[in-house]
Amino acid sequence: MSWSRDGSGGPRRGYHHGNLKEALIQAALNLIAEKGAGGFSFADAARSAGVSPAAPYRHFRDRDALLADVAERGFILFADKLAAAWDDGKPDPFAAFERTGQAYLAFAREEPSHYSAMFEAGIDRNATPELRRASDEAFSVLRRAADTLCALAPEGERPPALMVALHVWSLAHGVASLFTRNAGGSRSLPMTPEELLEAGVLVYLQGLGLPVHQR
């Protein structure tokens, strides 16, 4: 660790180049948790990381670039959790699909700062090639799951898998936003968010004529 001085002439702790980026990422996550994705400045992130206001520019163009990096990392974690839950549709694609929905809600609950950077910060997923790839990979898990489910319908009666993936993504995101991310201000539920999502997906898939397994 190196030492630098701030404008007042007093000593202030700084970071070697290899550690600064991670310190800023962690500072951003902490500030999102405290103030929301739109509630802090680039200078706030620098202050929280314990570096000068100019130091973050070594790694990030501006605050949005920092948030894009946080979002990218969130999507990588998100994709891993969804893929693990889907587990290639084993042992039963409908049970695996249910697990994937549960993983979606669990991520929103357990990684609120990442989730906020991904979906609530207003960052364009095309902001960087890395963010777009990470976002696409997360969605591709749902797309593969939808492909598997749609293939179970008789040929000629199969709904478009992309449409199914988008609809289920929207349903999961709505439940997460209303009843997981904003539990304090939302309408009370007679069931858990997981049960609400499961029921909604079941009704949706049955409406498409997919042979949903009853349990």
Side-chain angles (χ1 to χ4, degrees):
M1 185 172 287
S2 63
W3 290 89
S4 62
R5 290 181 177 272
D6 60 21
S8 65
R12 190 174 55 74
R13 184 167 294 181
Y15 290 88
H16 284 307
H17 183 80
N19 296 329
L20 175 58
K21 185 174 184 178
E22 297 306 315
L24 291 167
I25 292 293
Q26 188 57 55
L29 288 169
N30 293 341
L31 287 166
I32 293 170
E34 179 184 351
K35 301 180 178 182
F40 67 96
S41 67
F42 208 26
D44 291 333
R47 188 178 305 110
S48 181
V51 298
S52 71
Y57 290 99
R58 300 177 195 172
H59 294 287
F60 301 105
R61 180 186 68 256
D62 53 23
R63 175 182 168 279
D64 283 354
L66 172 58
L67 284 172
D69 198 311
V70 174
E72 177 200 340
R73 294 172 185 228
F75 274 115
I76 291 171
L77 290 172
F78 191 42
D80 287 344
K81 290 183 180 294
L82 293 180
W86 170 241
D87 194 22
D88 293 325
K90 298 179 292 190
D92 169 80
F94 292 99
F97 204 54
E98 181 182 335
R99 289 197 310 266
T100 305
Q102 292 170 350
Y104 195 115
L105 299 187
F107 181 86
R109 183 180 294 113
E110 296 165 7
E111 300 287 348
S113 292
H114 277 121
Y115 193 90
S116 182
M118 292 155 61
F119 297 116
E120 299 168 354
I123 301 298
D124 186 346
R125 77 181 189 96
N126 295 311
T128 68
E130 295 79 11
L131 175 55
R132 178 165 185 166
R133 280 196 297 270
S135 172
D136 286 346
E137 179 56 33
F139 180 72
S140 74
V141 179
L142 281 182
R143 176 59 192 267
R144 292 195 297 272
D147 284 336
T148 301
L149 292 178
C150 291
L152 298 176
E155 190 171 355
E157 300 178 16
R158 295 171 185 169
L162 176 59
M163 178 194 73
V164 172
L166 288 170
H167 285 172
V168 172
W169 179 288
S170 299
L171 182 56
H173 187 73
V175 172
S177 296
L178 287 172
F179 302 110
T180 300
R181 295 281 298 136
N182 189 33
S186 64
R187 183 181 297 274
S188 61
L189 282 176
M191 61 189 75
T192 67
E194 288 75 13
E195 290 169 337
L196 177 65
L197 179 59
E198 179 186 355
V201 171
L202 178 65
V203 169
Y204 173 72
L205 296 179
Q206 285 180 326
L208 292 174
L210 294 174
V212 179
H213 293 176
Q214 298 288 344
R215 289 189 292 276

